[in-house]
């Protein structure tokens, strides 16, 4: 049966990297129909809304969604409701994509590209499981209010219900079962009650997964351990905001955030796939962006939502091959390699396929 993929290029380098990823997808000759729609700043410009109704409807009916990136300085001054990021957050929450998987794998070819010593990062393979539709990103009440004395006050609410913690916890335990069977839950339970509950629920769940070794770490220590000795981690599970921050740190261990794909899944495995990086407005339109994170996101999409794991394996092998050939975009460039453009990198992956 034909599968439907909705492509949302977004802003900045989004359109460039998505073009390459779609090219790679097209090379596989699968029974997939591709549609596209606007999201983020480009949607604000065209319709005034970062997540137009039409985009949301198409997203609801698609089998999977591939997103580039959203945001840019052009819209930074917009009120919160019409910021590009609202489009992305709206998709995540409307589609209930609560489980965000961010694998940080160091390709051996890129050991030199990491800012950390090769011995610290070589062989790195960690998975960050980030809760994506709750926590302080979505908690109510929120806003900026004026107090009686005339001073303004900004406030957000960090809240998680037991069921929200349990469902992301299960995803993380199950992911750990398929990998190294170690799960580290990251919290701030020395200060924040919401994460005291988080920790308790993880402990309860651990009883159901006796084959997985559960540990806990405070988020500040986790940030330090990630750059000190990252290989101690197998699977990390954490809330929305901590996961946002730690996944950027983890990305840099692998040489470049331009290498990191991600999957955001609902309870039935329907998903949205996007690179972990942002829209990089400083290099947009210059052919400098690394399309590999988006191409690797296509591989995750084939594996998790489209039941095409053989095709996913082929893409990942093709990426290895172009790295073996010494082809590099600027972000992962090192001595003796060949600097290529966004398009040349996409073409090389297609040729390797
Ligand atoms: C990410 C991004 C987003 C987030 C932004 C663009 C809203 O940083 O996917 O990590 O904070 O979740
Ligand atoms: Mg982020």
């Amino acid at each position: 049966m034909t599968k439907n993929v909705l492509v949302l290029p977004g802003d900045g380098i989004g359109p460039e990297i998505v073009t390459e990823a779609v090219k790679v997808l097209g090379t596989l000759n699968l029974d997939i129909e591709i549609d596209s729609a606007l999201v983020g700043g480009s949607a604000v410009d065209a319709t005034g809304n970062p997540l137009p109704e039409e985009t949301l409807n198409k997203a609801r009916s698609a089998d999977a969604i591939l997103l580039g990136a959203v945001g840019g300085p052009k819209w930074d001054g917009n009120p919160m409701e019409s910021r590009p990021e609202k489009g992305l957050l709206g998709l995540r929450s409307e589609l209930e994509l609560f489980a965000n998987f961010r694998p940080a794998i160091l390709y051996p070819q890129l050991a030199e590209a990491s800012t950390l010593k090769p011995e610290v990062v070589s062989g790195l393979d960690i998975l960050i499981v980030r809760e994506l539709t709750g926590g302080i990103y979505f908690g109510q009440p929120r806003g900026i209010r004026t107090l009686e004395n005339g001073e303004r006050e900004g406030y957000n609410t960090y809240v998680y219900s037991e069921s929200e913690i349990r469902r992301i916890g299960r995803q993380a335990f199950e992911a750990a079962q398929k990998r190294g069977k170690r799960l580290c839950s990251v919290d701030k339970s020395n200060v924040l009650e919401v994460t005291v509950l988080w920790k308790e629920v993880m402990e309860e769940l651990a009883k159901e997964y006796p084959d997985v070794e559960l540990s806990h770490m405070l988020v500040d220590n986790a940030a330090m351990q990630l750059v000190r000795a990252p290989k101690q981690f197998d699977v990390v599970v954490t809330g929305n905001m901590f996961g946002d921050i730690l996944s950027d740190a983890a990305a840099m261990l692998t040489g470049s955030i331009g290498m990191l794909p991600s999957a955001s899944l609902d309870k039935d495995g329907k998903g949205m796939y996007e690179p972990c990086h942002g829209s990089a407005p400083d290099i947009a339109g210059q052919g400098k962006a690394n399309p590999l994170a988006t191409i690797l996101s296509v591989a995750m999409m084939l594996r998790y939502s489209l039941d095409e794991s053989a095709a996913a394996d082929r893409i990942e092998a093709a990426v290895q091959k172009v790295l073996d050939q010494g082809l590099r975009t600027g972000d992962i460039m090192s001595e003796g390699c060949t600097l290529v453009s966004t398009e040349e990198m996409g073409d090389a992956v297609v040729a390797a396929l």
Side-chain angles (χ1 to χ4, degrees):
M1 215 176 68
T2 307
K3 300 265 172 66
N4 293 297
V5 171
L6 178 67
V7 171
L8 303 172
D11 312 318
I13 59 170
E16 300 161 62
I17 52 178
V18 161
T19 299
E20 300 313 310
V22 168
K23 196 156 83 185
V24 169
L25 183 59
T27 309
L28 297 165
N29 281 323
L30 301 169
D31 191 6
I32 289 175
E33 221 163 74
I34 294 174
D35 193 2
S36 68
L38 292 171
V39 72
S42 53
V44 171
D45 288 349
T47 70
N49 180 354
L51 180 56
E53 198 60 35
E54 187 192 341
T55 300
L56 187 56
N57 288 337
K58 283 182 176 185
R60 286 192 205 283
S61 61
D63 293 302
I65 302 153
L66 179 68
L67 183 130
V70 297
K74 182 174 176 195
W75 308 281
D76 276 352
N78 285 18
M80 207 50 112
E81 285 318 305
S82 56
R83 285 186 64 117
E85 291 78 5
K86 269 286 167 198
L88 178 58
L89 297 175
L91 277 169
R92 290 172 178 173
S93 92
E94 289 292 329
L95 302 178
E96 289 186 71
L97 305 171
F98 67 93
N100 183 219
F101 294 86
R102 300 191 160 187
I105 296 170
L106 180 82
Y107 289 88
Q109 300 91 332
L110 297 184
E112 293 297 323
S114 177
T115 48
L116 276 82
K117 295 194 192 91
E119 64 267 29
V120 174
V121 291
S122 71
L124 181 87
D125 180 355
I126 64 187
L127 174 67
I128 296 186
V129 180
R130 168 187 175 193
E131 199 292 324
L132 204 59
T133 53
I136 198 165
Y137 269 51
F138 293 95
Q140 294 289 348
R142 63 188 295 159
I144 299 175
R145 60 190 163 208
T146 304
L147 303 175
E148 273 173 22
N149 67 5
E151 191 188 16
R152 287 183 310 153
E153 178 181 75
Y155 57 101
N156 288 87
T157 304
Y158 190 178
V159 57
Y160 271 120
S161 66
E162 281 181 286
S163 58
E164 281 177 304
I165 302 168
R166 208 170 286 120
R167 67 178 181 177
I168 191 69
R170 284 194 194 289
Q171 293 280 343
F173 274 101
E174 281 163 28
Q177 278 181 322
K178 294 184 200 134
R179 297 175 37 110
K181 300 193 166 44
R182 288 182 299 118
L183 176 62
C184 179
S185 169
V186 171
D187 61 55
K188 188 69 187 175
S189 57
N190 54 346
V191 179
L192 303 174
E193 286 82 354
V194 49
T195 71
V196 172
L197 182 66
W198 177 282
K199 190 173 173 182
E200 269 176 38
V201 173
M202 290 295 162
E203 281 293 331
E204 277 167 34
L205 277 178
K207 295 179 197 134
E208 294 175 40
Y209 301 90
D211 53 333
V212 175
E213 183 195 315
L214 174 69
S215 61
H216 304 277
M217 199 179 276
L218 297 173
V219 64
D220 48 351
N221 186 26
M224 179 174 73
Q225 296 300 333
L226 265 180
V227 288
R228 191 188 75 90
K231 285 187 271 180
Q232 70 186 281
F233 297 106
D234 175 25
V235 180
V236 172
V237 64
T238 191
N240 207 341
M241 182 165 64
F242 296 163
D244 177 46
I245 298 166
L246 294 181
S247 61
D248 267 34
M252 268 324 282
L253 305 173
T254 71
S256 166
I257 196 166
M259 294 298 298
L260 245 75
S262 81
S264 308
L265 305 180
D266 74 1
K267 63 180 188 343
D268 305 313
K270 171 168 169 168
M272 180 159 80
Y273 298 82
E274 52 178 313
C276 288
H277 61 69
S279 59
D282 53 322
I283 57 163
Q286 299 174 35
K288 288 183 180 168
N290 184 350
L292 292 179
T294 317
I295 290 171
L296 290 167
S297 298
V298 170
M300 290 187 92
M301 175 172 86
L302 291 166
R303 185 171 291 123
Y304 294 127
S305 290
L306 302 179
D307 203 18
E308 295 278 2
S309 56
D313 292 344
R314 283 185 61 203
I315 292 182
E316 285 162 358
V319 168
Q320 292 268 5
K321 201 161 159 195
V322 300
L323 294 175
D324 281 336
Q325 291 162 354
L327 304 182
R328 304 281 189 273
T329 42
D331 57 317
I332 50 174
M333 184 62 188
S334 55
E335 223 180 283
C337 293
T338 311
L339 184 67
V340 296
S341 68
T342 308
E343 188 180 353
E344 286 165 337
M345 186 60 105
D347 289 340
V349 174
V350 167
L353 280 169

